[in-house]
Amino acid sequence: MREAGKRGRRWGAMMVLMVGATMAGGCISVQAPEKPIVIELNINIKQEVAYKLSSDATKTIETNRDVF
């Protein structure tokens, strides 16, 4: 008889914990925001091109200015 009483108390304690956990789970809610999320990106991209002409190319350009 004592075993049955212990089992009943354990069962009752488990039920109380399960009901409590179920009720606590309803406290958390996730909702989408009413306003859309806006991400502003200000990006500046600058590119510099560095070039070096060999002395032969420089002389060719100077002698044939009408071509270039």
Side-chain angles (χ1 to χ4, degrees):
M1 185 86 171
R2 288 185 181 178
E3 286 295 318
K6 286 182 182 178
R7 286 185 193 160
R9 282 187 227 146
R10 287 182 188 163
W11 180 256
M14 283 189 354
M15 289 301 291
V16 168
L17 288 174
M18 289 174 56
V19 169
T22 304
M23 291 176 66
C27 295
I28 299 171
S29 63
V30 178
Q31 295 179 348
E34 293 178 13
K35 295 181 182 179
I37 298 171
V38 177
I39 300 173
E40 293 183 22
L41 297 175
N42 294 323
I43 300 174
N44 262 336
I45 299 175
K46 293 182 180 180
Q47 181 178 357
E48 293 182 18
V49 179
Y51 61 93
K52 181 178 178 182
L53 289 176
S54 67
S55 60
D56 289 343
T58 306
K59 289 179 186 176
T60 304
I61 290 172
E62 287 177 2
T63 57
N64 299 313
R65 287 194 182 269
D66 56 333
V67 175
F68 298 100

